[in-house]
Each structure stands twice: as structure tokens, then as C-alpha cells.
Amino acid sequence: MSASSAFNDEKGGSSSVGEPEYGHDPASGGIFSSDYKRHDDLKEMLDSNKDSLKLEAMKRIVAMIARGKNASDLFPAVVKNVACKNIEVKKLVYVYLVRYAEEQQDLALLSISTFQRGLKDPNQLIRASALRVLSSIRVTIIVPIMMLAIKEAASDMSPYVRKTAAHAIPKLYSLDPEQKDQLIEVIEKLLADKTTLVAGSVVMAFEEVCPERIDLIHKNYRKLCNLLIDVEEWGQVVIINMLTRYARTQFLNPNINESLLEEGGSGDKTFYGSDEDEDEDEEEKEKKAEAAAMAKRKPYVMDPDHRLLLRNTKPLLQSRNAAVVMAVAQLYFHLAPKAEVGVIAKALVRLLRSHSEVQYVVLQNVATMSIKRRGMFEPYLKSFYIRSTDPTQIKVLKLEVLTNLANETNISTILREFQTYIKSMDKDFVAATIQAIGRCATNISEVRDTCLNGLVQLLSNRDELVVAESVVVIKKLLQMQPEKHSDIIKHMAKLTDNIQVPMARASILWLIGEYCEHVPKIAPDVLRKMAKSFTNEEDIVKLQIINLAAKLYLTNSKQTKLLTQYVLNLAKYDQNYDIRDRARFIRQLIVPTEKSGALSKYAKKLFLALKPAPILESPFKDRDHFQLGSLSHLLNAKAGGYQELPDWPEAAPDPSVRNVEVPEWTKCSSREKRKEKKVEKPFYTDSEGESGPTESADSESDSASGSESSSGSEESGSGSESEESKEASESEEEEEEEEEEQKKKKKKDLKKPVQERVFLQTIAPSSTLKSYELLHRITGEGLSVEYCFSRQPFSPDANMVAVQMQFTNNASSDTKNLHIEDVKLQSGMRVKEFPEIELLPAGETATAVMGIDFCDSTQAANFQLCTHTRKFFVSIQPPVGELMRPVFLTENEFKKEQGQLMGMNEITEKLTLDVKCRNEHAIVQRVTTAANLSRVPCGSDKEFAGRTVTSGSLVLVTVATKEEGAAQLTVNCEKMVIGTMLVKDILQALTQ
């Protein structure tokens, strides 16, 4: 490619995917390329008066940065455009400045007044970008300006700007730690923010700046627990880790009774036995009895706030983000009662199968958990079987887990697996398998002989590494019962001619020397052979030859006296000073002379003392004192910046510090005002029948939802009588009004026929509403059911979607007792059943309405439709458009709300309209059919507005039409999951 063509391509803005990139190194030939012209060209475009050229230049510059190219020499040309009126150019300029502000501090400081003006820009993205650039200029002279900007941004009306302010706090703190007190005030303010977008970022700032200020979390604890499900994924990880440490300081150990019993019975014996063991055993028994009595006297009662944390994090085990699942798993391991920790096992096993990139970290945590909580992973034993495609480090970790899970029941299965692994070509893996067999034999005495015989068979393996590892493990096993296995010791003695691996030879020699009395005929002969090859052996083997000679001299001096002197003389002139020193020491100790000290009398006791059998333990034992998932846990050493996991308190701190004042909405005169002031319920409600007082951010009781759900709150009795009486007095007036209304309705219903009275509410559906089949007449044995979303308010509960159902009895006999049973819902969803239809005669049709709270999701509501003879499993799944309700907005209000929901809360798609959908009436009809939205009157484009039924999240839709059927669809939504699904449905409606 010539230089001129490269220049022309760059000037025209087009580039080829396969185009070679030229370097700046003259030796590479880049000196003949046109790189210098490229940047001159971009500078000319940036100096142009045309916004289109500036935009094109900025796109290419940002693309260069994304590819890792250096664009720092363009800083002066780019920074001049920071005041450009074109919003798209300004956004890209700020992206560039964030990247290079720290490198080009002097030039950035010249434009600081422009950045300050950007903090006042109407567009939230510009305000956030200006703050980001300010915090990226690492100069102490602008610390006051940064502090002022952060304080203003913390009060900004846009959650995105407040989130950016939280991100800027740690940057300012690292630049000037003396600003800590002022930054803590900002953090305290942002912690009180009720927006999920801000929560994760401010908690990260809290962890960086003042993790010791636990008092800042008290009043926000319940709010963080309830918001957790809606926070973005990485924010969830940060909050969960922080709440784990918080809970360890504020609540009691839920396994306190178990801990007391363990402490009472954990008197570690001395390494060598002593005469005082019997007295110590009696003391241990007394301690154990005392601990058991204490555990019985003080039954543990879990704090409601502790339960709130466990309950609200449990749904996150289903998260698609592996880091979130790991965070919840470590929280449950460190905080949950022993009986409840098992719920994390399935989630961790799912991660192993679906996320190969996180297997190493998951297995590290499972290996630690399986030591103390073996039972919860036993049902998933096969999930830890090793595949031939696994990397070596994964294989070794799976071996650790399998060894930890081994018990008398499954050991035969595990040993069969190990037999297969030994045939692997991966030698490191084979060595780890042999060590695992040794650990199994140590822990389970029933299979010790079987494992030992299997390891002895490996001694005839052709691979030296396999034989060597087997020798080392056999040596450790034989120390447990040497008198029973003298034949194995003899067999190993014969291997000294063939085994050349130093560690294996040293192990055999130590074993023969230690138990020379069990092989009195073979040991001297082994010493004879070793004396011949002494000068050619490795240092570790020489030391064991010297030890063997000393032990044989003390037990069989007649046969080995001369051999011992010969070996000691060889060692006396060895090159290694350790060997020379050992030989000199042993000679004085075992061969008494006039100069020998009193110590020589005790030579036998020194050399032939009984040694305790080694304990083969997992390297993950006691590693759980590090917080699981942390770098310190991974390394098994405290890493820089690690925050210690606090110990459980002996007495629970005052729980009232987490109480938040409840707004007195009961003093309002009208019911409507009171309803407006009610706090929205958390996304996930309690689906397990566990309840506690003041679980929401504003301590609102969810007794109403509890009465509608099928699971009662019998398990927990932690709600106080004072709170219940207060709630009763607050709702007394409301109940009286509802009773009067119900009496009036009953009087009206009594005048109607029986067949109409049984229905809760019947709404005449519009002809445009789509009907869906719930039950086919063949499947339903003559009963067919269709349903539609009536798009009318469901009067018993405004947060529910009204679903109108039409029952048709096509059978020849009557259908009786039509009702709903066994409702199965995703967490947080609720159903208001229609009243039972007592009789549906043959050939007739009946209509009823039920309410479903889908929690702003398209998850299906599953239940059984029952008659007096049969039960049919059915489900209702809503299109995303049926989760909306129309909202009237003026054009000015629409533009204002849309301005606040730009950037991250905006999706734009270009489309070509269907031929039949190119007039205004058709577009409006199709959009309102796809989504239950309201048209904004007098808008410049076709604009629609609505809110989600459950949470009231704002949804704005704009369809801007152009020539020849081209159009642009823009959706602004507070919940982007809703927005993404809505774009898909509206696109389909407008293009088909």
C-alpha cells in the first residue's frame, strides 16, 4: 500500500479490515509511512468549522485509543473543542480527555474553566464527563475545585451524575488524604440515596475511604438489603462483601451452640505423649460438659436484620454474573446457620459447569468449604470428577475436593476414580492423585490396607516419578502401623537398586533405619550397598545414609560397626558442610570416647525415640479465616489492602441503631394521599415464610402481601406486639371505609344472577386486544379457557395486571367448582385469584378477572386450574407491553423527562416502516397495540409515555419518521431490561 493511498484512505474516513498498521520505529519501515500526515489531517478536521468533520475526527481518534494506539499528541487540538456546541462531539472530547488528562496535566489545567462550565450543562452525560475529567487531573492544586464539584454533583438531580461523584471520591482521597472528613460527609449523603444506580458506587467509595466507619451503614442497612436485587451486578458484589463484614460485627454467630461444643472438645494434645494426658482428658471432658450446658441454657435467636440479609441475597444465587454468585456463596458460608448453607452448593456446581473461566476460583472456595461443610457437596460428587481436557491446576483442585468429600460410604467410588487417574499422561496430576490416595487412607482407616497395597503395586511402574511419589506416601502410611507391614518394608528395600529419584531413595532409607528392628537381616545389607555409592549420592540421600548407619550401630553394632565408621569417614571429607557437621556430631554421640559428653548416654533415646505418625492434611485447612473469594484467600497470605474478616461479637450490639424513622402518613386526611406516601415493596418479597419486623428501608410492614401469599409466616415470631398494635391503629380507619364499600357492592351483587355474582370484576375487552389460549378444549376434556390482558386498572390492587379469562364448557355435563390452586411464582410475584365459579352449565360461557403482579418482568405465572374432577397445569406469560399503564404528559414534560433519561437509559434503533404503516394513524395504532402507552399531544414526533404497573418506572417512546418509510425508534426507560424487550416488540409491530 503506497503512502498516497494510505493518506487518501485516512482522509476519506474509510479503512480496510486487513490494512497493515505502520509503526513509529524507523527500523520498521514506518518512516516511509504517512502516520505524521494522518495526525495532521485529524488536526485540520478538528480545526474545521463543520461539526460533521469534527465528529468524524473524534470518532477516528477514539477508535485509535480503543486499538491501543497513542493519540496523546492530538491533545491540544482536541481540548480546543471541549466547548463545542455539538453534543456528540462534546461527548467524544470528554472521552478522550478522561484518557489523557493525567498525562497532559498542564494543558488540561488551561481548560479547567471549561470543565467547570460543563458541570452546569443541561445534559447529564456532559456533567458526568466533566466531573470525570476533573477527577482524572492528578494535580493537588485543583483539590478545592474537585471537592466543590463532587459536593455539587452529589446533589445533582441525575442519578448518573451522583454515581460519577461517588467514583470521583476515591480518586480525590488518594490525591489528598487530608480531605477525608469532607469526603465522609459526601459519602454519608450519597449512602442515603434511594437510587439503585448510586448504591454500588457509593459503597465502593465507602470501602476505599472509610471502611472503619461502620456507623454510616447502620441507618442504610435495610435499604441496601432491599435495593440489592436491583443494583447493577458489580455493585452487588461490592455491597455483598461490605455487608458480610458488617454482619460479622453486628450479629451473633448463628452456629454459636456448635462452636461452643467444638471449643469444649478441641483440647489439642501435645506432639509427644506425656504422663499428664489422663489429667488433661478429664479437664477436656469437664469443659465439654460445661459448654454443652451453656448451649442449652442460651438458645440462639436470629436477629431479624440478619435474616433480612440472608433472604434478600438468596435470589442472587441465580445471577448470570459468576462474581455475584461467588459473593453470595461466601456471604452464606461466613454468616448463615449450618442448616442453611447447603443452598449455595447447587449454585456453585452450576458455575463449574457453565463458566469454565472461573473454575479455578470456584474450586478454591469449594475446597475450603468442603472441609467444614462436607455434607452439602456430597450429592454433587460426580460434578468434581476430572476430565481429560481439564488443565492441571483444575485437576489438582478437583482432587482436593474429592479427597475432602471422601467418607466410608463413597470411598470405594472415589478410589475407582483415582485408579483411572493414575494412568494419566500428566505426571504432576498423577503425583497429586497418589498424595490424595494417601490422605484418604489416613482419614479412613477401613481402606488403609487397600490403599497401601495399591500403592505398593505402583512401585513396579515404569515411570520413576510415580514410583517416587508412591514411596513417599507409603512411608507416611507405614508410620501408622509399621509392625503389620514388615513385608512392605522388605519389598521397598529391594527397590534401592532401581529407584534413582533422591526423595524416594531418602524415604526408603529413613523407613529402613526407623524400623530396622523389624527387618534385622535386610537393613545391614542396604547400608553396605549405600556405602559403596555414598560419594555419588545426592545430599538428601547422604544424610539419610548417615542416619541409617547411626541407628544400625546402636541396634546391631556387631555387623555394622565397621560400615558405620567407613560411612562417617567418607562424610568427614564431603564437600557439603551440612554433611560434614552431621557426621562429626553423630560420631561423638554414638562412639563414646574420653572427650564425649554426657549426652552420649542418651544416644538411643535420641535416635530411636518413637515418632508420631504424620497427619496428611489438605492445604486448604484453616484457610477460611480469610474472606472467601479474596486475593488473600487465593494466596493463603494476607495481601496488601485486605480487610480482615471480623470475629463474631460475644454479645449482640444494640439493634435499634438500624431503625429508621417512619413518615407519619397516617395523619393525612384522605386515603389517596396515604396511598401515595406508601413506600414501594422490594422487588423480591419473602417467599419462604420467614418474616421479621421493619424489613424495608422505611420499616414498612408487608403484612398485606403476606396474607395474600400461600406461605404463612408461622416460622418466625420475631415481630413485636407493639409494632402490630401500631399497624392496627394506623389501618383502622381504612378498614372501616373498605367494609362500607364492600357492603354496598354486596347489595348490588345480590340483585344480579348467580352466574354473574361469582366474578370479581368483569371488564369488556376491546376488539383490538389479543386473546391467548390458556386451556384447549381437548386437553381440558371439554373445558376451554382463553385470556386477554384487559389493560384496565385492577381495582383491588393497582400494582397488579388485570387478566380477563373466558371459560367455555364444551362438554355435555356441567363443570363445577372452577378455581385456582398450587400457584407457583418467581420471587416477588403475587396473584389475586378470581372467586370460585361454583357451576358452569354445559354449552355456556363465563368470564372472570384475576390480578397478577408480574414485578415488571415477563416471567410466567404457573398454577393449576381445578374443577370438581380434574386439575390442569397452566401458565400465563405477559408480553412486555402488557406491563405498562398509560401516563398523560404534555410535550414539555415529555422533553424534560426524556432529557433526564438519556445516555445509559436510552436505546435507539433505525428501521424501515411496513408499507401499510406509513401514516400517522397506523403508527399510533400499532405502537399502542404493542405497548399500553399514551400518546403525547402536539408532539413534534409521535411520542408516547407510560409507567410500569408494579414499580412505576417511566417509559418514553419516540417514533421519528423520515422520507421513504425510514424511521428512528427511541426508547428511554428507567429499567433498561424493560426498554430492551419493548424495543424488540415495537420494531416487530412497525416492520411487519
Side-chain angles (χ1 to χ4, degrees):
M1 183 177 182
S2 64
S4 59
S5 62
F7 174 70
N8 292 333
D9 284 350
E10 191 65 20
K11 195 165 185 177
S14 62
S15 61
S16 172
V17 176
E19 179 185 348
E21 297 180 356
Y22 299 98
H24 292 282
D25 183 8
S28 68
I31 193 169
F32 300 108
S33 73
S34 55
D35 268 358
Y36 66 98
K37 290 186 178 180
R38 286 187 181 186
H39 286 185
D40 286 346
D41 187 27
L42 290 171
K43 291 174 184 176
E44 290 177 10
M45 294 170 72
L46 290 169
D47 289 337
S48 171
N49 293 328
K50 294 183 179 180
D51 287 345
S52 59
L53 288 176
K54 291 182 178 181
L55 183 61
E56 178 65 23
M58 287 308 307
K59 285 181 178 178
R60 286 161 60 183
I61 292 170
V62 172
M64 287 169 57
I65 296 171
R67 294 199 302 269
K69 289 189 173 183
N70 184 13
S72 59
D73 57 334
L74 287 167
F75 194 91
V78 173
V79 79
K80 286 189 293 186
N81 291 281
V82 74
C84 180
K85 293 183 179 179
N86 186 294
I87 196 71
E88 297 299 325
V89 175
K90 188 179 285 189
K91 288 179 185 177
L92 294 176
V93 168
Y94 275 116
V95 171
Y96 177 91
L97 293 176
V98 169
R99 169 64 180 82
Y100 287 109
E102 188 171 354
E103 295 180 15
Q104 304 280 346
Q105 294 176 354
D106 294 339
L107 289 173
L109 285 173
L110 294 176
S111 303
I112 198 165
S113 59
T114 309
F115 304 148
Q116 288 178 286
R117 285 197 299 272
L119 295 171
K120 306 292 184 182
D121 195 277
N123 190 305
Q124 59 174 353
L125 287 177
I126 300 300
R127 298 199 301 274
S129 298
L131 178 59
R132 197 176 291 116
V133 174
L134 268 178
S135 60
S136 299
I137 304 174
R138 313 290 292 166
V139 180
T140 54
I141 195 172
I142 65 165
V143 165
I145 298 175
M146 288 174 61
M147 177 59 72
L148 184 62
I150 290 173
K151 287 182 176 180
E152 290 181 358
S155 303
D156 196 279
M157 62 184 296
S158 168
Y160 182 64
V161 179
R162 300 198 297 272
K163 178 187 181 74
T164 308
H167 287 166
I169 289 173
K171 295 181 181 180
L172 179 55
Y173 177 69
S174 64
L175 188 62
D176 185 5
E178 293 182 2
Q179 304 294 324
K180 182 174 181 177
D181 292 339
Q182 293 187 58
L183 291 175
I184 289 176
E185 293 177 7
V186 181
I187 290 173
E188 186 173 9
K189 182 177 182 179
L190 288 174
L191 279 171
D193 198 303
K194 295 184 179 179
T195 312
T196 55
L197 193 65
V198 182
S201 302
V202 68
V203 171
M204 174 60 83
F206 168 82
E207 292 281 81
E208 291 286 335
V209 177
C210 53
E212 74 283 354
R213 287 291 303 274
I214 208 78
D215 56 294
L216 299 179
I217 304 299
H218 289 324
K219 291 189 177 180
N220 299 289
Y221 171 80
R222 292 169 186 157
K223 181 196 70 177
L224 289 172
C225 288
N226 288 317
L227 287 181
L228 189 58
I229 198 70
D230 290 324
V231 175
E232 48 90 19
E233 293 170 336
W234 296 111
Q236 290 174 340
V237 174
V238 174
I239 294 173
I240 290 171
N241 287 332
M242 183 275 291
L243 290 178
T244 301
R245 290 191 294 277
Y246 176 87
R248 287 289 289 253
T249 63
Q250 299 299 310
F251 308 128
L252 292 176
N253 184 357
N255 303 304
I256 188 169
N257 292 347
E258 178 189 357
S259 302
L260 285 172
L261 290 174
E262 286 180 358
E263 288 174 8
S266 61
D268 294 334
K269 294 185 179 180
T270 53
F271 196 72
Y272 291 95
S274 66
D275 297 334
E276 300 175 359
D277 283 347
E278 294 181 2
D279 297 335
E280 289 182 0
D281 288 341
E282 292 179 3
E283 291 179 5
E284 288 166 13
K285 290 178 182 179
E286 291 177 2
K287 288 181 180 178
K288 189 172 182 179
E290 185 178 349
M294 187 181 296
K296 290 180 181 179
R297 285 200 305 269
K298 297 181 179 179
Y300 171 75
V301 178
M302 181 176 284
D303 189 294
D305 287 326
H306 191 173
R307 172 59 61 196
L308 176 67
L309 175 60
L310 294 175
R311 184 171 61 247
N312 283 17
T313 52
K314 186 178 179 181
L316 294 178
L317 288 171
Q318 306 300 323
S319 174
R320 295 174 297 178
N321 189 306
V324 176
V325 178
M326 289 298 303
V328 177
Q330 63 88 18
L331 180 142
Y332 260 74
F333 180 76
H334 291 303
L335 300 182
K338 183 179 179 181
E340 298 179 25
V341 180
V343 298
I344 66 176
K346 186 175 182 181
L348 292 174
V349 170
R350 177 173 57 84
L351 280 187
L352 282 176
R353 295 171 180 169
S354 58
H355 293 71
S356 58
E357 64 277 8
V358 298
Q359 277 189 340
Y360 186 76
V361 178
V362 173
L363 286 169
Q364 285 263 351
N365 290 350
V366 172
T368 303
M369 293 178 184
S370 57
I371 292 174
K372 285 195 174 182
R373 300 283 184 259
R374 177 193 300 171
M376 70 182 188
F377 290 105
E378 282 183 7
Y380 307 99
L381 187 68
K382 291 184 179 179
S383 299
F384 302 103
Y385 284 177
I386 293 159
R387 302 177 182 177
S388 58
T389 55
D390 287 336
T392 303
Q393 65 268 27
I394 299 297
K395 292 177 180 177
V396 172
L397 284 174
K398 284 186 175 180
L399 275 176
E400 284 292 336
V401 176
L402 287 172
T403 309
N404 291 341
L405 298 181
N407 55 31
E408 292 82 355
T409 307
N410 57 29
I411 185 61
S412 57
T413 307
I414 292 176
L415 286 178
R416 280 198 299 271
E417 277 290 309
F418 288 172
Q419 286 176 356
T420 308
Y421 301 159
I422 289 172
K423 300 174 184 176
S424 172
M425 299 300 293
D426 186 344
K427 301 309 174 188
D428 292 335
F429 170 51
V430 172
T433 304
I434 294 171
Q435 292 175 9
I437 293 173
R439 277 180 52 201
C440 289
T442 303
N443 299 334
I444 305 169
S445 57
E446 289 82 356
V447 296
R448 190 171 298 157
D449 292 342
T450 305
C451 293
L452 199 53
N453 292 331
L455 291 171
V456 170
Q457 291 176 9
L458 291 178
L459 296 178
S460 59
N461 195 290
R462 294 180 180 179
D463 194 319
E464 285 189 0
L465 289 175
V466 173
V467 175
E469 199 65 43
S470 302
V471 168
V472 174
V473 175
I474 289 172
K475 166 205 158 188
K476 294 177 180 177
L477 294 179
L478 288 180
Q479 284 183 258
M480 298 178 183
Q481 293 175 322
E483 65 281 354
K484 292 184 179 180
H485 303 290
S486 57
D487 292 339
I488 295 177
I489 298 174
K490 293 176 184 177
H491 179 70
M492 292 178 70
K494 296 176 183 178
L495 295 175
T496 53
D497 296 333
N498 301 323
I499 295 177
Q500 300 302 322
V501 178
M503 179 57 75
R505 291 174 69 83
S507 296
I508 293 175
L509 293 174
W510 184 91
L511 203 61
I512 294 171
E514 185 68 17
Y515 305 111
C516 56
E517 295 176 356
H518 298 285
V519 284
K521 295 181 180 179
I522 293 177
D525 196 47
V526 171
L527 180 61
R528 179 182 60 80
K529 289 182 179 180
M530 291 297 105
K532 286 183 179 180
S533 61
F534 183 87
T535 54
N536 299 322
E537 298 288 353
E538 293 289 335
D539 291 345
I540 189 174
V541 181
K542 288 179 180 179
L543 289 172
Q544 293 303 327
I545 294 174
I546 296 172
N547 286 343
L548 173 63
K551 292 175 183 178
L552 287 176
Y553 183 88
L554 293 171
T555 56
N556 189 2
S557 60
K558 291 183 180 180
Q559 287 184 292
T560 59
K561 183 177 181 180
L562 295 175
L563 272 174
T564 302
Q565 290 179 351
Y566 176 71
V567 169
L568 292 176
N569 287 333
L570 289 174
K572 182 179 179 181
Y573 300 103
D574 197 89
Q575 292 181 354
N576 189 308
Y577 58 82
D578 284 338
I579 296 173
R580 296 198 301 269
D581 290 348
R582 176 70 63 87
R584 188 180 300 112
F585 167 72
I586 288 178
R587 186 190 297 273
Q588 293 296 322
L589 198 61
I590 65 173
V591 184
T593 61
E594 295 179 358
K595 297 180 180 179
S596 298
L599 201 61
S600 60
K601 300 177 183 178
Y602 305 99
K604 280 192 176 183
K605 288 187 177 181
L606 289 173
F607 281 98
L608 303 176
L610 291 175
K611 280 84 173 179
I615 301 174
L616 302 178
E617 292 182 340
S618 169
F620 291 89
K621 187 182 180 184
D622 298 329
R623 198 182 284 196
D624 59 334
H625 66 276
F626 292 116
Q627 189 168 353
L628 266 63
S630 64
L631 179 62
S632 298
H633 173 260
L634 193 68
L635 301 175
N636 197 22
K638 187 175 179 180
Y642 173 72
Q643 296 180 36
E644 292 283 356
L645 192 65
D647 293 327
W648 293 101
E650 294 183 2
D654 183 13
S656 64
V657 295
R658 291 182 290 277
N659 291 341
V660 182
E661 293 183 4
V662 182
E664 298 185 1
W665 50 266
T666 53
K667 296 181 180 179
C668 297
S669 57
S670 64
R671 289 177 61 196
E672 288 75 20
K673 289 182 179 177
R674 291 202 301 270
K675 287 181 180 177
E676 288 176 0
K677 291 193 177 184
K678 282 186 179 178
V679 181
E680 291 179 3
K681 293 177 183 177
F683 189 81
Y684 284 88
T685 55
D686 181 14
S687 60
E688 301 174 356
E690 300 164 343
S691 63
T694 61
E695 291 177 354
S696 69
D698 292 326
S699 304
E700 179 190 3
S701 170
D702 51 356
S703 57
S705 62
S707 61
E708 292 172 0
S709 61
S710 58
S711 61
S713 58
E714 299 171 358
E715 185 177 326
S716 171
S718 58
S720 64
E721 295 178 2
S722 61
E723 288 177 345
E724 292 174 357
S725 61
K726 183 178 180 181
E727 290 172 6
S729 63
E730 289 173 347
S731 59
E732 188 176 343
E733 181 185 346
E734 187 175 349
E735 290 177 358
E736 291 176 0
E737 293 180 12
E738 288 178 353
E739 286 177 4
E740 291 178 3
E741 288 182 5
Q742 288 175 0
K743 288 178 182 178
K744 292 178 182 178
K745 286 182 180 179
K746 286 181 181 178
K747 290 180 181 179
K748 291 180 181 179
D749 289 345
L750 288 171
K751 297 177 183 179
K752 297 179 181 180
V754 175
Q755 200 166 337
E756 291 184 42
R757 285 207 306 267
V758 294
F759 313 136
L760 178 64
Q761 178 187 10
T762 303
I763 304 169
S766 169
S767 59
T768 60
L769 297 182
K770 183 178 179 181
S771 294
Y772 304 87
E773 185 178 71
L774 186 66
L775 184 65
H776 192 270
R777 59 186 178 84
I778 297 177
T779 310
E781 299 180 358
L783 176 66
S784 62
V785 184
E786 291 186 345
Y787 69 93
C788 69
F789 298 92
S790 65
R791 296 192 172 179
Q792 299 292 326
F794 187 67
S795 56
D797 192 332
N799 290 332
M800 288 188 171
V801 175
V803 181
Q804 184 159 309
M805 307 174 70
Q806 183 173 331
F807 303 88
T808 303
N809 188 359
N810 302 295
S812 56
S813 58
D814 296 346
T815 298
K816 300 177 183 178
N817 304 332
L818 264 170
H819 64 284
I820 288 175
E821 287 183 5
D822 193 19
V823 180
K824 294 183 178 179
L825 307 172
Q826 295 294 324
S827 183
M829 293 171 58
R830 297 176 295 126
V831 164
K832 181 70 175 179
E833 304 171 5
F834 61 84
E836 181 178 323
I837 300 176
E838 296 178 357
L839 178 65
L840 182 60
E844 292 196 15
T845 299
T847 308
V849 174
M850 65 184 295
I852 305 178
D853 180 1
F854 289 102
C855 259
D856 291 349
S857 73
T858 55
Q859 297 287 341
N862 304 298
F863 54 88
Q864 288 185 351
L865 187 63
C866 306
T867 66
H868 65 296
T869 57
R870 286 295 307 275
K871 295 182 178 181
F872 308 101
F873 290 94
V874 295
S875 65
I876 296 177
Q877 185 170 13
V880 67
E882 304 301 339
L883 304 176
M884 313 290 173
R885 60 185 175 201
V887 172
F888 177 79
L889 293 179
T890 64
E891 184 181 7
N892 291 336
E893 291 172 339
F894 182 91
K895 294 296 184 186
K896 181 180 177 182
E897 295 290 349
Q898 191 179 44
Q900 296 177 6
L901 291 176
M902 296 177 71
M904 296 177 66
N905 290 14
E906 181 176 278
I907 304 173
T908 302
E909 293 286 347
K910 293 182 179 180
L911 67 150
T912 302
L913 296 170
D914 183 42
V915 178
K916 300 177 182 179
C917 184
R918 295 192 177 180
N919 59 71
E920 183 174 351
H921 176 73
I923 293 174
V924 173
Q925 184 180 12
R926 292 198 182 190
V927 173
T928 53
T929 301
N932 188 19
L933 302 174
S934 175
R935 174 79 187 277
V936 176
C938 305
S940 56
D941 295 313
K942 285 158 279 295
E943 298 165 340
F944 309 85
R947 290 187 181 275
T948 56
V949 174
T950 301
S951 65
S953 299
L954 191 62
V955 179
L956 306 176
V957 175
T958 304
V959 181
T961 53
K962 302 177 182 179
E963 298 178 357
E964 299 180 356
Q968 179 171 298
L969 171 66
T970 303
V971 175
N972 300 85
C973 186
E974 291 180 349
K975 285 194 174 182
M976 289 310 296
V977 178
I978 294 288
T980 304
M981 294 187 290
L982 194 60
V983 166
K984 182 179 178 183
D985 288 0
I986 295 178
L987 280 175
Q988 187 176 5
L990 295 176
T991 55
Q992 294 180 358

